[in-house]
């Protein structure tokens, strides 16, 4: 069984530590935890691979970061899924979520895009929203700040103190979803 795990974000150093890139931060943690090395794929993505589990029950996992911008990530991810012959039902997308408090996680299958341009692009490219989501809470901006501006800002000093633990929990939620399934993962991670 092969899974595709996608960390949504924008390319480039100017975006690497922003709230909108939390999906890419989680797949970096997954790569580190599983000693997977990143390579460039012709689908305009960076990919790494590892196995979870033992012997014949081990699942193959391809983790990916699109090298295109968030609102154009569907095309590269669809091309990558086609290359590895992975159906949307075996895709896990990790993304930032404004409507969840910072450091909370929600795991779900399918659903709307809630105005998230990365999810919108994926749903359009795959012609379905029937993929798993690891929704990483970033909270809403305080006051009058535009949410589109807020997601492109770095985490606050206070948030940075708990960010490593939050990213680790995101990686653990991915591993749990693959090895334990949706229901157990939701019980353990939906806070």
């Amino acid at each position: 069984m092969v899974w595709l795990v996608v960390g949504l974000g924008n390319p480039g150093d100017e975006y690497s530590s922003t709230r909108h890139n939390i999906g890419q931060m989680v797949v970096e943690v997954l790569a580190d935890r599983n000693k997977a090395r990143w390579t460039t794929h012709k689908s305009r993505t960076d990919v790494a691979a590892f196995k979870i589990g033992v012997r014949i029950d081990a699942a193959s996992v391809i983790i990916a970061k699109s090298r295109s911008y968030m609102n154009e990530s569907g095309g590269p991810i669809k091309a990558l899924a086609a290359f590895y012959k992975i159906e949307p039902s075996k895709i896990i997308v990790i993304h930032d979520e404004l409507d969840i408090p910072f450091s909370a996680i929600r795991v779900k299958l399918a659903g709307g895009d809630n105005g998230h341009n990365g999810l919108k692009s994926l749903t359009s490219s795959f012609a379905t929203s029937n993929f798993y989501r690891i929704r990483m809470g970033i909270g809403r901006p305080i006051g009058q700040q535009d949410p589109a501006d807020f997601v492109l800002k770095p985490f606050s000093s206070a948030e940075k103190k708990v960010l490593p633990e939050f990213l680790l929990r995101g990686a653990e939620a991915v591993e749990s979803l693959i090895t334990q399934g949706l229901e157990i993962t939701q019980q353990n991670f939906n806070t």
Side-chain angles (χ1 to χ4, degrees):
M1 171 136 354
V2 181
W3 287 83
L4 175 58
V5 179
V6 178
L8 290 183
N10 285 311
D13 290 340
E14 75 237 59
Y15 297 110
S16 65
S17 62
T18 65
R19 293 178 177 93
H20 218 25
N21 275 41
I22 197 163
Q24 289 191 357
M25 293 176 199
V26 171
V27 293
E28 302 247 350
V29 171
L30 272 170
D32 290 345
R33 277 173 64 86
N34 292 282
K35 298 175 179 49
R37 290 188 28 213
W38 292 101
T39 60
T40 299
H41 191 269
K42 65 183 178 181
S43 62
R44 295 182 324 207
T45 59
D46 292 329
V47 298
F50 59 91
K51 291 202 179 278
I52 291 180
V54 290
R55 300 198 181 148
I56 61 168
D57 292 332
S60 294
V61 180
I62 310 293
I63 52 178
K65 301 182 289 186
S66 173
R67 284 190 276 123
S68 62
Y69 286 95
M70 178 81 75
N71 58 354
E72 300 168 346
S73 54
I77 300 306
K78 169 99 169 79
L80 185 65
F83 178 84
Y84 285 106
K85 298 176 177 58
I86 299 171
E87 294 298 315
S89 62
K90 293 294 179 205
I91 296 175
I92 300 169
V93 178
I94 310 159
H95 65 90
D96 60 305
E97 182 61 63
L98 282 163
D99 290 331
I100 299 173
F102 176 72
S103 83
I105 294 174
R106 301 282 190 282
V107 182
K108 68 183 248 185
L109 173 62
D113 59 51
N114 200 21
H116 194 290
N117 288 330
L119 293 176
K120 198 176 291 186
S121 179
L122 287 167
T123 298
S124 173
S125 293
F126 282 100
T128 183
S129 64
N130 192 33
F131 46 84
Y132 292 95
R133 295 111 187 272
I134 307 280
R135 301 162 68 211
M136 305 291 290
I138 60 167
R140 284 211 165 263
I142 297 169
Q144 300 297 315
Q145 186 177 14
D146 178 15
D149 183 48
F150 176 73
V151 300
L152 295 176
K153 295 283 186 229
F155 290 95
S156 70
S157 299
E159 289 170 334
K160 286 178 184 173
K161 290 178 182 160
V162 295
L163 188 60
E165 175 61 28
F166 184 30
L167 298 175
L168 179 60
R169 283 194 358 263
E172 289 170 343
V174 170
E175 293 168 348
S176 173
L177 191 52
I178 292 168
T179 60
Q180 304 290 315
L182 180 61
E183 191 174 326
I184 290 172
T185 302
Q186 286 177 323
Q187 289 170 8
N188 292 333
F189 289 90
N190 286 13
T191 51

